[in-house]
Amino acid sequence: MPIIVKDFTWEQTDKEVFISVPLKGTKASQSDVICTDEYLKVCFPPFLFEVILFAPIDEDRSSAKIGNGIILFTLHKTEPSVWDSIAVPSNTADLSTVEILEQLSDEDITNSNDVTLPDSNTWKTALKPKSKYHPSMSNSPEIQLEEDERKRIEHIKEEENRKATEELERWKAQQTIEKEQKRLQREEIRKAEEKRKNERSKSIFPNTVKPQITTEKKVIEKVLPPTRTSGSIKIQFTPRIFPTALRESRMAEEEEWLHKQAEARRAINADLLQFPDLTEEEKNPEWLKDKGNKLFAAGDYLAAVNAFNLAIQLNQKLPSLYLNRSACHLKLRNLHKAIEDSSKALELLTPPVPSNACARIKAHVRRGTAFCELELYVEGLQDYEAALKIDPNNQNVKADAAKIRQIIQGSSSTPE
């Protein structure tokens, strides 16, 4: 069924009527127009506009123009007058459109002149004389146009489906070919790798006996190189001689120092025996310290703690290891462990000299921060004040200490 256009507009003068019909996105070349002295129709599938005019018009002088998506009709009235409406008078308003169309003679519509349109490159239309239009007739041109349009759309859909199916099949075939090529490439790489391994094994073991194949099973025998002969090397150490006089010599202190050094080396070697898989780098506490610092900067605090733990097991006398591990514990909210590591770092940072002042400030601040996180503000303030004694001009430490004093004063002034 066609869609009736109702959003047209019209204006009039005493001698002319102007009707504007929107094309609703259809092409101008698909529009058919029929105009008689009493009837006007525009068909642009699937839309239809028709009207039984209020009064007769002069169809020879009437014209139509198409542009900017509308059809503009200029109808000249036979007799100058003002129309009450664009449609038929009220005495025939009760008749349906079909009944009114049946009252029109076939000769009037068949002999009607086409509305002339100017020749333009921007818009075109085909205006042909038409037979009487009746919506219920099976040979209606509009129905035939709709049927042709429907068939055309179905044909386009079928063609697109066929093209899509062919494209999908070609894609599947291409994927299959590519998979087979990749499989062949992997097979060639595997064979080349096996060939290289065989050649390498032959170069390493040139005296390898070829396997003896029997009827029951394959026996592979290899000639192994002979074992090394054991031996011993005698080492003679030069005796330690102290050139100083005996009365000025500190031989006992030096012997004690050497003894402690030997004990420390034995302790380190004993600790390394617990980790037989460590590389040479991982046996160095300084390398582990740098590794822990990098993990801390990357935000992996737990891995940093593990690196510092191993470094401390290898060397328990480096205060920087405890100091850095306390920072990791603060990030992980292990507050008690942070306090222990900071205290241990302060024990090792003795005697207090200018070279370790920065490290001592960090230890006091971190331990004070841990105390404050545990709501032990008095102990935390003591550590911040100790840090200020080392560096009185540190503005950050001053600001934090002032905040802690405000918290202590606020809690003390609050009535219980």
Side-chain angles (χ1 to χ4, degrees), residues 150-282:
R150 185 182 62 80
K151 290 181 180 179
R152 186 181 69 83
I153 293 173
E154 289 180 355
H155 177 70
I156 292 173
K157 288 182 179 179
E158 291 177 357
E159 188 68 19
E160 291 295 331
N161 290 335
R162 183 184 63 79
K163 290 181 181 179
T165 303
E166 292 178 356
E167 185 68 22
L168 181 60
E169 293 297 330
R170 285 196 298 271
W171 180 80
K172 288 182 178 179
Q174 183 66 23
Q175 292 294 320
T176 304
I177 294 172
E178 291 179 358
K179 287 182 180 179
E180 184 65 20
Q181 290 177 352
K182 290 180 180 179
R183 189 188 65 79
L184 294 175
Q185 290 177 358
R186 289 195 299 269
E187 186 68 21
E188 291 177 357
I189 293 172
R190 185 183 62 80
K191 290 181 179 179
E193 188 67 25
E194 290 180 356
K195 185 177 179 180
R196 285 196 296 270
K197 288 181 179 179
N198 294 333
E199 291 176 354
R200 191 182 300 114
S201 63
K202 289 180 181 179
S203 62
I204 295 173
F205 302 106
N207 298 326
T208 302
V209 179
K210 294 183 178 179
Q212 299 177 357
I213 302 175
T214 62
T215 56
E216 297 180 355
K217 62 180 181 178
K218 295 181 181 180
V219 178
I220 300 176
E221 295 181 359
K222 294 183 180 180
V223 177
L224 299 176
T227 58
R228 295 178 181 178
T229 58
S230 61
S232 60
I233 299 175
K234 294 182 179 180
I235 300 175
Q236 294 181 356
F237 295 97
T238 303
R240 183 177 177 83
I241 299 174
F242 297 94
T244 56
L246 185 61
R247 64 179 178 275
E248 299 175 359
S249 174
R250 294 184 178 181
M251 186 180 300
E253 296 178 3
E254 291 181 357
E255 291 293 337
E256 184 181 358
W257 180 82
L258 292 174
H259 179 71
K260 290 182 178 179
Q261 291 292 323
E263 290 292 336
R265 283 194 294 270
R266 282 195 294 271
I268 292 174
N269 293 330
D271 291 334
L272 291 177
L273 292 176
Q274 301 176 7
F275 310 98
D277 298 331
L278 294 180
T279 62
E280 291 299 326
E281 293 178 340
E282 293 172 346

Side-chain angles (χ1 to χ4, degrees), residues 388 391-402:
L388 285 175
D391 184 8
N393 298 323
N394 195 319
Q395 299 299 325
N396 294 330
V397 177
K398 280 185 179 179
D400 293 338

Side-chain angles (χ1 to χ4, degrees), residues 355-374:
S355 60
N356 60 15
C358 183
R360 285 185 286 121
I361 291 173
K362 290 181 180 180
H364 281 297
V365 169
R366 288 172 185 172
R367 188 170 68 177
T369 303
F371 278 129
C372 291
E373 291 291 335
L374 293 171

Side-chain angles (χ1 to χ4, degrees), residues 278-295:
L278 294 180
T279 62
E280 291 299 326
E281 293 178 340
E282 293 172 346
K283 295 177 182 179
N284 185 359
E286 292 294 334
W287 184 89
L288 290 171
K289 173 187 171 183
D290 294 338
K291 185 68 174 179
N293 293 339
K294 292 178 181 179
L295 292 171

